[in-house]
Amino acid sequence: MDFTLMLTQLAEGMVVTLEIFFLTLIFSLPLGLVATFGRMSSNGLIRNITKLYISVMRGTPLMLQLFVVFYAPFYLFKIPLSSEWRFIACIVAFVINYAAYFAEIFRAGIESIPKGQYEAAHVLGYSKGQTFFKIILPQMVKRVLPPVTNEMITLVKDTSLAFSINIMEMFTTAKEIASGQKNIMALVAAGVFYFVFNFLVAAVMERVEKKLAYYR
């Protein structure tokens, strides 16, 4: 296969990989924060439901969750599966999976803030909302950046699991090229992309962490 053609095909798969990565982050980070509130709720029902959700998402393989989300409409409601739903199901599965992990990371960050800061905010007349968004959240973000970075790096690699529901992301594209041409050049190129992209993710997050150093 022509080297230029191979790179063109890998680039098409790379676009899908990047779409899965960024869409997952865009939706899973805020959903994770919502799940954190549910996990820390004083309402026992909400707390236990959220705890069960987190437990199921963290305790079952992401590939299994991809299958369940993708095939559920057909087996439950006999709705035909479309090509559009394939990608949507992928994003939904990734989002609910990663939101569960982010929820526990955020909860750990919030619970690490000294209780005295809540009391000081109360004395100063801050409402609960003002206390969280102006005092607690900025400090929590700084503390959770390292584990969040780890999850982002894992996410880059996990995008390859989309092959399980026949989504042509970069790893699947590279695998098919390698199989057809009987050489591993495409797989090596894919590996280089994953390494470089993860390096960039780590570098960006390290820069963000340094900018938030004034919260020490």
Side-chain angles (χ1 to χ4, degrees):
M1 175 181 288
D2 180 78
F3 185 71
T4 303
L5 178 59
M6 182 191 75
L7 290 181
T8 300
Q9 293 180 345
L10 286 177
E12 293 174 356
M14 181 179 68
V15 170
V16 178
T17 293
L18 293 175
E19 287 177 345
I20 296 172
F21 175 80
F22 285 111
L23 287 174
T24 299
L25 284 183
I26 289 171
F27 293 110
S28 64
L29 286 170
L31 180 59
L33 189 59
V34 172
T36 300
F37 295 148
R39 181 71 175 79
M40 301 177 69
S41 173
S42 57
N43 184 301
L45 179 61
I46 294 176
R47 185 173 62 252
N48 288 328
I49 290 176
T50 308
K51 188 176 181 179
L52 176 63
Y53 152 69
I54 292 173
S55 179
V56 170
M57 291 298 104
R58 297 173 70 198
T60 57
L62 175 55
M63 187 180 293
L64 175 61
Q65 295 164 21
L66 282 163
F67 283 133
V68 170
V69 174
F70 178 62
Y71 289 109
F74 176 77
Y75 286 110
L76 294 178
F77 309 109
K78 301 304 179 182
I79 299 175
L81 303 178
S82 64
S83 57
E84 292 80 9
W85 170 244
R86 191 181 304 278
F87 185 76
I88 294 172
C90 175
I91 300 303
V92 169
F94 269 87
V95 167
I96 61 177
N97 177 275
Y98 271 85
Y101 286 93
F102 287 139
E104 287 297 272
I105 292 173
F106 295 159
R107 181 173 69 89
I110 291 173
E111 291 182 345
S112 71
I113 306 297
K115 297 294 183 183
Q117 298 203 27
Y118 292 91
E119 296 170 356
H122 178 70
V123 170
L124 292 172
Y126 281 77
S127 66
K128 288 185 178 180
Q130 289 174 323
T131 299
F132 179 78
F133 287 105
K134 292 186 177 181
I135 298 176
I136 305 303
L137 183 61
Q139 296 180 76
M140 181 271 284
V141 170
K142 170 65 170 65
R143 297 185 183 204
V144 304
L145 277 180
V148 166
T149 300
N150 287 337
E151 288 300 318
M152 291 172 66
I153 290 173
T154 300
L155 172 58
V156 173
K157 295 177 287 186
D158 276 354
T159 56
S160 62
L161 294 176
F163 85 92
S164 61
I165 54 174
N166 295 323
I167 290 180
M168 294 295 294
E169 40 67 54
M170 192 180 61
F171 175 74
T172 304
T173 302
K175 186 171 62 174
E176 290 201 353
I177 294 173
S179 176
Q181 299 300 312
K182 295 183 175 57
N183 67 68
I184 64 169
M185 183 60 67
L187 292 174
V188 171
V192 170
F193 164 79
Y194 285 120
F195 175 78
V196 171
F197 189 52
N198 273 329
F199 179 82
L200 292 175
V201 168
V204 170
M205 295 303 289
E206 182 179 0
R207 187 175 181 85
V208 172
E209 189 173 352
K210 288 180 178 179
K211 284 186 175 295
L212 295 176
Y214 53 81
Y215 283 116
R216 290 176 181 173

